[in-house]
Amino acid sequence: MNEPAGPTPEPVHVWVSTTDENPREAAHHLLRQLATSLGHPAPLTHTPTGRPVVDGLHVSLTHTTGAVAVAATHAGPVGVDAELRRDFPVGAMAARWFPPAEAGRVDSPEKFLQLWTAKEAVGKALGQGLRNQGLRREMPAALTDGSVSELVAEGDRGPGGSDLPVHAHVVPSEPEVAVVHVVVRLDLVLALAFPRGVTEVVLHQGTALRSTVRSRTSFPVVVRGN
Protein backbone atom coordinates (compact mmCIF):
# COMPACT_ATOMS: atom_id res chain seq x y z
CA MET A 1 0.00 0.00 0.00
CA ASN A 2 1.32 3.42 -0.90
CA GLU A 3 1.92 5.77 1.98
CA PRO A 4 -0.17 8.96 1.82
CA ALA A 5 1.74 11.95 0.61
CA GLY A 6 2.70 14.46 3.27
CA PRO A 7 1.63 18.09 3.13
CA THR A 8 3.22 20.10 0.37
CA PRO A 9 5.64 22.67 1.82
CA GLU A 10 4.63 26.27 1.34
CA PRO A 11 6.29 27.97 -1.65
CA VAL A 12 8.45 31.06 -1.53
CA HIS A 13 7.18 33.92 -3.71
CA VAL A 14 9.67 36.32 -5.29
CA TRP A 15 8.60 39.39 -7.25
CA VAL A 16 11.16 41.31 -9.29
CA SER A 17 10.50 44.60 -11.04
CA THR A 18 12.39 47.43 -12.67
CA THR A 19 11.91 50.92 -11.32
CA ASP A 20 12.87 54.50 -12.10
CA GLU A 21 11.40 55.69 -8.82
CA ASN A 22 12.83 55.88 -5.34
CA PRO A 23 13.99 52.24 -5.02
CA ARG A 24 13.23 51.95 -1.31
CA GLU A 25 9.68 53.23 -1.75
CA ALA A 26 9.22 51.03 -4.83
CA ALA A 27 10.35 47.95 -2.88
CA HIS A 28 7.96 48.74 -0.03
CA HIS A 29 5.10 49.21 -2.49
CA LEU A 30 5.90 45.92 -4.24
CA LEU A 31 6.11 44.05 -0.95
CA ARG A 32 2.74 45.39 0.19
CA GLN A 33 1.19 44.25 -3.10
CA LEU A 34 2.73 40.79 -2.83
CA ALA A 35 1.64 40.41 0.79
CA THR A 36 -1.91 41.45 -0.09
CA SER A 37 -2.01 38.92 -2.93
CA LEU A 38 -1.10 36.21 -0.41
CA GLY A 39 -3.94 37.20 1.91
CA HIS A 40 -2.02 39.53 4.23
CA PRO A 41 -3.09 43.15 3.66
CA ALA A 42 -1.64 44.07 7.07
CA PRO A 43 0.48 47.23 7.23
CA LEU A 44 4.17 46.96 6.44
CA THR A 45 6.21 47.93 9.50
CA HIS A 46 9.85 47.59 10.51
CA THR A 47 11.81 46.30 13.48
CA PRO A 48 14.25 48.68 15.23
CA THR A 49 17.01 47.21 13.04
CA GLY A 50 15.06 47.99 9.85
CA ARG A 51 13.80 44.51 9.00
CA PRO A 52 10.43 44.62 7.19
CA VAL A 53 7.49 43.01 8.99
CA VAL A 54 4.06 41.90 7.74
CA ASP A 55 1.92 40.11 10.34
CA GLY A 56 1.46 36.43 9.50
CA LEU A 57 4.04 36.35 6.72
CA HIS A 58 7.83 36.06 6.44
CA VAL A 59 9.12 38.77 4.11
CA SER A 60 12.31 40.32 2.76
CA LEU A 61 13.21 43.00 0.24
CA THR A 62 16.18 44.35 -1.68
CA HIS A 63 16.86 47.13 -4.14
CA THR A 64 19.69 48.19 -6.38
CA THR A 65 20.04 50.62 -9.26
CA GLY A 66 16.95 50.28 -11.44
CA ALA A 67 15.62 47.09 -9.84
CA VAL A 68 13.72 45.95 -6.75
CA ALA A 69 12.93 42.46 -5.50
CA VAL A 70 10.75 41.21 -2.64
CA ALA A 71 10.18 37.74 -1.19
CA ALA A 72 7.39 36.35 0.98
CA THR A 73 6.38 32.95 2.32
CA HIS A 74 4.48 31.18 5.09
CA ALA A 75 7.22 28.52 5.25
CA GLY A 76 9.65 30.36 7.52
CA PRO A 77 12.32 33.07 7.50
CA VAL A 78 13.33 34.25 4.03
CA GLY A 79 15.98 36.59 2.66
CA VAL A 80 16.59 38.13 -0.75
CA ASP A 81 19.47 40.27 -2.03
CA ALA A 82 20.43 41.64 -5.45
CA GLU A 83 23.44 43.37 -7.00
CA LEU A 84 24.09 44.63 -10.52
CA ARG A 85 26.68 42.66 -12.47
CA ARG A 86 29.72 44.85 -13.09
CA ASP A 87 33.49 44.71 -13.44
CA PHE A 88 35.72 45.64 -10.51
CA PRO A 89 38.99 44.41 -8.97
CA VAL A 90 38.05 41.55 -6.67
CA GLY A 91 41.30 40.43 -5.05
CA ALA A 92 41.67 43.04 -2.31
CA MET A 93 37.93 43.23 -1.68
CA ALA A 94 37.58 39.47 -1.33
CA ALA A 95 40.54 39.35 1.07
CA ARG A 96 39.01 42.15 3.13
CA TRP A 97 35.48 40.80 3.44
CA PHE A 98 35.54 37.01 3.07
CA PRO A 99 37.22 34.19 5.04
CA PRO A 100 40.64 33.27 3.56
CA ALA A 101 39.42 29.92 2.18
CA GLU A 102 36.63 31.65 0.26
CA ALA A 103 38.65 34.69 -0.75
CA GLY A 104 41.23 32.46 -2.38
CA ARG A 105 38.57 31.02 -4.69
CA VAL A 106 37.09 34.36 -5.73
CA ASP A 107 38.75 35.15 -9.06
CA SER A 108 36.00 37.10 -10.84
CA PRO A 109 33.38 39.77 -10.13
CA GLU A 110 30.68 37.15 -10.77
CA LYS A 111 31.91 34.88 -7.99
CA PHE A 112 32.34 37.86 -5.66
CA LEU A 113 28.75 38.97 -6.26
CA GLN A 114 27.39 35.44 -5.92
CA LEU A 115 29.07 35.16 -2.53
CA TRP A 116 28.11 38.64 -1.37
CA THR A 117 24.42 38.31 -2.31
CA ALA A 118 24.23 34.81 -0.81
CA LYS A 119 25.71 36.03 2.49
CA GLU A 120 23.35 39.01 2.53
CA ALA A 121 20.30 36.87 1.75
CA VAL A 122 21.18 34.32 4.44
CA GLY A 123 21.83 37.11 6.94
CA LYS A 124 18.42 38.59 6.21
CA ALA A 125 16.76 35.19 6.65
CA LEU A 126 18.47 34.89 10.03
CA GLY A 127 17.32 38.38 10.98
CA GLN A 128 20.90 39.68 11.27
CA GLY A 129 21.77 41.11 7.88
CA LEU A 130 25.54 41.41 7.67
CA ARG A 131 25.94 42.17 11.36
CA ASN A 132 27.84 39.77 13.62
CA GLN A 133 30.47 38.95 11.01
CA GLY A 134 27.88 38.06 8.40
CA LEU A 135 30.39 38.37 5.56
CA ARG A 136 32.61 35.86 7.35
CA ARG A 137 29.85 33.22 7.42
CA GLU A 138 31.05 30.61 4.95
CA MET A 139 28.74 29.76 2.09
CA PRO A 140 28.37 26.45 0.21
CA ALA A 141 31.50 25.65 -1.80
CA ALA A 142 29.44 25.44 -5.00
CA LEU A 143 29.15 29.23 -4.98
CA THR A 144 32.85 29.59 -5.75
CA ASP A 145 33.81 26.34 -7.48
CA GLY A 146 32.02 27.08 -10.73
CA SER A 147 29.10 24.69 -10.19
CA VAL A 148 26.59 27.16 -8.75
CA SER A 149 23.00 26.22 -9.60
CA GLU A 150 20.63 28.96 -10.63
CA LEU A 151 16.90 29.21 -11.05
CA VAL A 152 16.15 30.68 -14.46
CA ALA A 153 13.53 33.11 -15.62
CA GLU A 154 10.83 32.05 -18.06
CA GLY A 155 12.60 33.31 -21.17
CA ASP A 156 15.69 31.22 -20.35
CA ARG A 157 13.91 27.86 -19.99
CA GLY A 158 14.12 24.98 -22.41
CA PRO A 159 11.83 24.40 -25.40
CA GLY A 160 8.17 24.25 -24.50
CA GLY A 161 8.81 25.49 -20.99
CA SER A 162 10.38 22.21 -19.87
CA ASP A 163 11.36 21.79 -16.25
CA LEU A 164 15.00 22.44 -15.42
CA PRO A 165 16.23 20.75 -12.24
CA VAL A 166 18.90 22.60 -10.28
CA HIS A 167 20.02 22.34 -6.68
CA ALA A 168 19.63 24.61 -3.72
CA HIS A 169 22.64 24.60 -1.39
CA VAL A 170 22.52 24.16 2.38
CA VAL A 171 24.55 26.71 4.37
CA PRO A 172 27.23 24.79 6.33
CA SER A 173 26.83 26.69 9.60
CA GLU A 174 23.04 26.95 9.25
CA PRO A 175 21.84 23.47 8.20
CA GLU A 176 18.19 24.53 8.16
CA VAL A 177 18.83 27.32 5.64
CA ALA A 178 19.29 26.86 1.88
CA VAL A 179 20.41 29.39 -0.70
CA VAL A 180 20.00 29.56 -4.47
CA HIS A 181 20.58 32.20 -7.16
CA VAL A 182 17.73 33.33 -9.40
CA VAL A 183 18.42 34.51 -12.94
CA VAL A 184 15.88 37.21 -13.74
CA ARG A 185 17.97 39.66 -15.77
CA LEU A 186 21.34 39.28 -17.43
CA ASP A 187 22.67 42.28 -15.52
CA LEU A 188 21.41 41.19 -12.08
CA VAL A 189 22.77 38.72 -9.50
CA LEU A 190 19.94 37.77 -7.14
CA ALA A 191 20.20 35.33 -4.21
CA LEU A 192 17.34 33.80 -2.26
CA ALA A 193 17.61 32.13 1.16
CA PHE A 194 14.77 30.07 2.64
CA PRO A 195 14.11 27.17 5.03
CA ARG A 196 15.52 23.83 4.02
CA GLY A 197 12.68 21.65 2.81
CA VAL A 198 10.88 24.29 0.75
CA THR A 199 10.08 22.64 -2.57
CA GLU A 200 8.76 25.47 -4.70
CA VAL A 201 9.71 29.00 -5.62
CA VAL A 202 7.23 31.14 -7.55
CA LEU A 203 8.85 33.96 -9.48
CA HIS A 204 6.75 36.98 -10.48
CA GLN A 205 8.12 39.51 -12.95
CA GLY A 206 7.02 42.90 -14.19
CA THR A 207 4.79 45.51 -12.65
CA ALA A 208 1.84 43.22 -11.90
CA LEU A 209 1.40 39.73 -10.49
CA ARG A 210 1.69 38.04 -13.86
CA SER A 211 4.28 36.19 -15.94
CA THR A 212 5.00 33.79 -13.10
CA VAL A 213 7.63 31.08 -13.08
CA ARG A 214 7.29 28.19 -10.65
CA SER A 215 10.28 26.35 -9.32
CA ARG A 216 10.45 23.20 -7.29
CA THR A 217 13.25 22.15 -5.05
CA SER A 218 14.50 18.66 -4.07
CA PHE A 219 16.70 19.92 -3.54
CA PRO A 220 16.56 19.94 -6.61
CA VAL A 221 14.77 23.06 -7.63
CA VAL A 222 12.73 22.88 -10.82
CA VAL A 223 11.67 26.00 -12.72
CA ARG A 224 8.25 26.02 -14.32
CA GLY A 225 6.42 28.83 -16.08
CA ASN A 226 2.74 29.51 -16.54
Side-chain angles (χ1 to χ4, degrees):
M1 178 181 296
N2 292 333
E3 292 293 330
T8 301
E10 288 283 344
V12 175
H13 294 261
V14 182
W15 192 356
V16 182
S17 181
T18 58
T19 181
D20 295 324
E21 305 171 1
N22 180 301
R24 186 172 184 272
E25 292 181 3
H28 287 172
H29 177 68
L30 202 65
L31 184 52
R32 285 191 294 267
Q33 286 185 280
L34 179 56
T36 298
S37 76
L38 298 177
H40 295 272
L44 172 62
T45 60
H46 293 82
T47 67
T49 59
R51 187 180 188 183
V53 175
V54 175
D55 287 345
L57 199 62
H58 298 277
V59 299
S60 183
L61 61 81
T62 185
H63 51 79
T64 186
T65 304
V68 297
V70 298
T73 183
H74 295 103
V78 65
V80 64
D81 190 63
E83 290 283 345
L84 288 177
R85 283 186 166 92
R86 56 194 185 276
D87 290 326
F88 55 91
V90 300
M93 292 180 65
R96 176 182 180 185
W97 296 115
F98 301 150
E102 286 184 337
R105 297 194 297 266
V106 174
D107 56 9
S108 68
E110 182 75 7
K111 289 183 179 180
F112 183 97
L113 293 174
Q114 285 174 339
L115 264 185
W116 184 285
T117 55
K119 289 171 185 281
E120 180 87 65
V122 170
K124 289 179 178 180
L126 296 174
Q128 302 172 359
L130 294 179
R131 298 185 301 278
N132 301 324
Q133 297 292 305
L135 286 173
R136 295 279 169 174
R137 181 183 298 109
E138 292 195 24
M139 291 292 105
L143 298 186
T144 53
D145 69 6
S147 63
V148 61
S149 295
E150 297 179 320
L151 304 182
V152 292
E154 185 171 7
D156 299 319
R157 290 180 296 111
S162 58
D163 292 346
L164 294 178
V166 296
H167 289 268
H169 306 285
V170 176
V171 179
S173 63
E174 304 292 338
E176 298 306 314
V177 179
V179 64
V180 71
H181 283 84
V182 185
V183 179
V184 291
R185 284 176 19 184
L186 293 180
D187 64 343
L188 201 66
V189 177
L190 189 146
L192 178 67
F194 47 78
R196 182 176 183 174
V198 166
T199 59
E200 187 173 32
V201 174
V202 180
L203 175 63
H204 309 272
Q205 299 181 79
T207 56
L209 280 174
R210 55 184 174 79
S211 184
T212 61
V213 173
R214 288 181 176 268
S215 330
R216 251 186 212 151
T217 109
S218 78
F219 304 10
V221 179
V222 177
V223 178
R224 261 198 337 260
N226 291 352

